[in-house]
């Protein structure tokens, strides 16, 4: 009897602990939601649901356009370059903060133009071809879209800083821990809006692709830019309404500006940023229009040098320790995000050999998105407790393990499992996606929350874009690496003899290079030696804490 009572007590305690964890991690984020968070979340949501046409675009390119895998990887490089301009664009947003809505409107216009081109390509090819070749139209569409998204993303990032007030409703400063938690919540909600938007349309897009024409789906996607426009419009209306309420409650204009984190309209232009950005644009255009064979590489190296110089100028005001910490984390994140991918040949192989269709790709994307959201809820505290270098090492190992099933299927794993266990390629892909997806956003949220917390009031867009410009340039490096590997291991449509070696090479690079970078820029042995060499008389709590960090 006593054993049964003991077992019942243990089970009750376990259920109580689970319920406490569930209410704190899953439900707590909804209790911490504020109306000021909604406007930037709507802009992020628009970015998330832009994947509505991602699946049909892959099939359209494969079936209708004669573009090689290497060319598409090179095109991805050009499409990623606008994200390297986040820092100068962020500074422009700071300079014209009261006109920030104009940036969102212009970005929405470019996104709509990109979608309209795809409407023409999928429904009026002969008419479009009378003006330009279809391949050229597609390239223009691919290049317009990221420019629109980056304009909106810069504004949304800065709005997340503004959305977290530094004081409570009575005008008293919030505690440091409270501010940190609010920023983590804001950034987590931002990632959830992006991933949630993707989940909302992933399965739907794959299913609709089997019953609707591509032209109709691209027409429906024209609602996406409208959502971001509504978001920034709501943000302006909410701010004006809140300002009137505070004025009616008797707060002075200075107090209201502090409570609303009003932007300092006297922000002086930073000519290092603007001048460097001008050099970047001129260099990119001249080289892009030239016939140089290595123009992508020259643009990448030049962009890296310019952005590195601009970051150097911005961190001069920081202490040496803080400066080294920021640069070290930036380099680690850069290398982690710069790892090459398999390229489009792997997806062609999944379509031709494994038999994956639009609907199944939509199912995989929906599963990945939903589990990524669940992971962000469940791992919110875990992300806050661990530094970025630890997360990068963990994710490098974990991602490599998650790639192994697809490499195995290339060598016949799905045939063996079908014979012995009764399940094949689709079941393996679903299980692998379920295991991999929850950790998809783990590396970025702690970094984004820290940047938002440290951003100055009158330079929030610039400060937030500093790290983003550098780490987003890593995506261009990833495209270059993917392009090189697809030239070394040629994977034309229907011929996948070299795909296995390509997968193994990409997996090995993704495991080894980020870990080596962490050991170089965040060497734990160096910190241990420094701690051991410290004289005994200065072993104060603060010094010890510094050594451990």
């Amino acid at each position: 009897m006593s054993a049964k009572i003991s077992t019942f007590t243990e089970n009750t305690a376990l259920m109580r602990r689970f319920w406490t964890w569930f209410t704190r991690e899953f439900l707590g984020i909804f209790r911490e939601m504020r109306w000021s968070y909604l406007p930037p979340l709507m802009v992020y949501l628009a970015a998330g649901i832009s994947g509505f046409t991602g699946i049909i675009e892959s099939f359209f390119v494969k079936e209708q356009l004669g573009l090689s895998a290497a060319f598409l990887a090179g095109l991805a490089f050009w499409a990623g370059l606008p994200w390297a301009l986040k820092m100068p664009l962020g500074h422009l947003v700071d300079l014209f903060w009261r006109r920030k809505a104009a940036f969102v409107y212009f970005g929405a216009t470019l996104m709509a133009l990109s979608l309209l081109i795809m409407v023409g390509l999928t429904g009026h090819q002969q008419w479009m071809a009378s003006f330009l070749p279809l391949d050229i139209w597609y390239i223009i569409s691919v290049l317009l879209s990221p420019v629109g998204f980056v304009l909106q993303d810069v504004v949304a990032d800065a709005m997340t800083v503004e959305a977290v007030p530094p004081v409570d409703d009575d005008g008293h400063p919030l505690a440091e821990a409270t501010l940190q938690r609010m920023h983590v919540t804001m950034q987590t909600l931002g990632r959830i809006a992006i991933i949630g938007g993707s989940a909302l349309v992933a399965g739907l897009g794959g299913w609709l692709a089997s019953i609707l024409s591509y032209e109709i789906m691209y027409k429906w996607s024209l609602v996406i830019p409208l959502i971001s426009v509504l978001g920034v419009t709501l943000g302006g209306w909410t701010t004006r309404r809140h300002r009137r309420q505070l004025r009616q409650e008797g707060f002075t204009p200075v107090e209201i500006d502090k409570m609303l984190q009003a932007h300092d309209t006297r922000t002086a232009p930073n000519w290092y940023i603007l001048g460097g950005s001008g050099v970047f644009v001129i260099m990119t255009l001249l080289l892009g229009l030239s016939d140089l064979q290595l123009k992508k590489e020259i643009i990448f190296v030049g962009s890296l040098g310019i952005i590195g110089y601009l970051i150097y100028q911005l961190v001069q005001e920081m202490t040496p320790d803080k400066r080294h910490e920021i640069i070290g984390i930036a380099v680690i994140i850069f290398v982690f995000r710069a790892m090459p991918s398999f390229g489009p040949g792997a997806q062609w192989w999944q379509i031709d050999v494994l038999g994956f269709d639009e609907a199944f790709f939509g199912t995989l994307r929906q599963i990945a998105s939903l589990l990524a959201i669940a992971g962000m809820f469940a791992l919110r505290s875990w992300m806050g407790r661990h530094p970025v270098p630890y997360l990068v090492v963990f994710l490098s190992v974990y991602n490599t393990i998650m790639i192994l099933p697809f490499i195995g299927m290339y060598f016949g794993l799905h045939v063996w499992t079908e014979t012995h266990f009764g399940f094949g390629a689709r079941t393996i892909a679903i299980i692998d996606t379920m295991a991999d997806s929850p950790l998809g956003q783990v590396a970025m949220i702690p970094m984004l929350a820290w940047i938002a917390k440290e951003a100055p009031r009158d330079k929030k867009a610039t400060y937030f874009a500093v790290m983003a410009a550098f780490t987003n340039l890593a995506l261009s490096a990833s495209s270059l690496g993917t392009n090189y590997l697809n030239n070394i291991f040629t994977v034309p449509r229907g011929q996948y003899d070299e795909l296995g070696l390509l997968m193994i090479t990409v997996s090995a690079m993704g495991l080894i290079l980020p870990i080596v970078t962490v050991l170089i820029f965040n060497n734990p042995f160096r910190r241990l030696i420094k701690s051991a060499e410290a004289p005994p008389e200065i072993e104060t709590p603060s010094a010890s804490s510094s050594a451990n960090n």
Side-chain angles (χ1 to χ4, degrees), residues 4 11 17 61 73 81 107 113 135 137 161 265 274 358 374 393 396 455 468 479 488 500 542:
K4 292 183 177 179
N11 292 337
R17 286 197 297 271
V61 171
L81 279 180
L113 287 175
D135 292 356
W137 278 118
V161 181
T265 56
L274 297 178
E358 297 100 323
V393 172
S396 298
S479 297
I488 296 173
S542 60

Side-chain angles (χ1 to χ4, degrees), residues 406-418:
F406 280 95
I407 297 177
M409 284 195 288
Y410 176 82
F411 292 100
L413 173 65
H414 58 295
V415 177
W416 182 80
T417 57
E418 183 77 41

Side-chain angles (χ1 to χ4, degrees), residues 438-457:
L439 297 177
Q441 293 288 324
V442 164
M444 293 303 296
I445 291 177
M447 176 181 167
L448 294 173
W450 181 85
I451 294 172
K453 177 175 171 291
E454 299 292 331
R457 185 178 67 179

Side-chain angles (χ1 to χ4, degrees), residues 321-521:
D321 288 342
K322 180 64 68 175
R323 187 161 57 241
H324 295 156
E325 176 188 356
I326 289 176
I327 293 175
I329 290 177
V331 173
I332 290 170
I333 291 290
F334 181 92
V335 173
F336 178 70
R337 301 190 77 188
M339 292 300 96
S341 65
F342 297 151
Q347 190 171 50
W348 297 342
W349 167 73
Q350 293 174 40
I351 295 171
D352 294 338
V353 178
L354 300 183
F356 294 175
D357 54 17
E358 297 100 323
F360 185 70
F361 277 120
T363 299
L364 288 181
R365 289 194 182 188
Q366 195 165 38
I367 292 173
S369 300
L370 292 174
L371 291 179
I373 293 173
M376 284 186 280
F377 277 108
L379 301 174
R380 194 158 52 111
S381 297
W382 181 77
M383 288 186 288
R385 291 195 304 267
H386 292 90
V388 171
Y390 171 90
L391 297 175
V392 166
V393 172
F394 177 85
L395 291 174
S396 298
V397 176
Y398 190 83
N399 290 342
T400 302
I401 295 174
M402 290 300 101
I403 289 174
L404 293 180
F406 280 95
I407 297 177
M409 284 195 288
Y410 176 82
F411 292 100
L413 173 65
H414 58 295
V415 177
W416 182 80
T417 57
E418 183 77 41
T419 303
H420 292 81
F421 301 104
F423 63 86
R426 295 198 175 201
T427 302
I428 294 174
I430 291 175
I431 294 173
D432 189 63
T433 300
M434 292 175 65
D436 183 37
S437 302
L439 297 177
Q441 293 288 324
V442 164
M444 293 303 296
I445 291 177
M447 176 181 167
L448 294 173
W450 181 85
I451 294 172
K453 177 175 171 291
E454 299 292 331
R457 185 178 67 179
D458 61 339
K459 297 178 182 177
K460 45 183 170 283
T462 304
Y463 196 89
F464 204 103
V466 166
M467 299 295 288
F470 185 62
T471 55
N472 281 325
L473 189 61
L475 300 180
S476 295
S478 176
S479 297
L480 276 177
T482 302
N483 191 8
Y484 294 151
L485 291 176
N486 274 265
N487 285 324
I488 296 173
F489 304 99
T490 306
V491 187
R493 288 179 178 86
Q495 301 177 23
Y496 306 112
D497 296 339
E498 298 186 21
L499 181 60
L501 288 176
L502 173 62
M503 288 180 167
I504 294 172
T505 303
V506 169
S507 302
M509 292 176 64
L511 173 65
I512 297 172
L513 294 182
I515 294 177
V516 170
T517 304
V518 170
L519 292 177
I520 293 174
F521 288 90

Side-chain angles (χ1 to χ4, degrees), residues 115-173:
L115 292 170
L116 286 172
I117 290 174
M118 293 308 299
V119 169
L121 289 179
T122 54
H124 308 277
Q125 289 190 3
Q126 292 184 353
W127 183 76
M128 297 287 286
S130 65
F131 295 96
L132 289 172
L134 298 183
D135 292 356
I136 301 299
W137 278 118
Y138 176 72
I139 292 170
I140 294 173
S141 175
V142 169
L143 297 180
L144 281 177
S145 182
V147 177
F149 277 116
V150 73
L151 285 169
Q152 297 194 351
D153 191 67
V154 167
V155 176
D157 287 345
M159 290 172 70
T160 64
V161 181
E162 191 179 53
V164 178
V167 297
D168 58 23
D169 294 336
D170 297 324
H172 301 130

Side-chain angles (χ1 to χ4, degrees), residues 19-35 37-38 41 180-193 372-381 383 445 449:
W19 179 251
T20 301
W21 172 81
F22 180 80
T23 54
R24 183 180 66 247
E25 300 299 334
F26 277 83
L27 303 182
I29 197 169
F30 295 107
R31 291 195 298 268
E32 297 173 17
M33 177 69 183
R34 302 171 62 95
W35 279 108
Y37 297 172
L38 187 57
L41 292 181
Q180 176 67 18
R181 187 180 68 251
M182 293 173 69
H183 279 295
V184 170
T185 298
M186 176 71 255
Q187 297 305 322
T188 301
L189 287 171
R191 299 310 101 184
I192 289 174
I373 293 173
M376 284 186 280
F377 277 108
L379 301 174
R380 194 158 52 111
S381 297
M383 288 186 288
I445 291 177

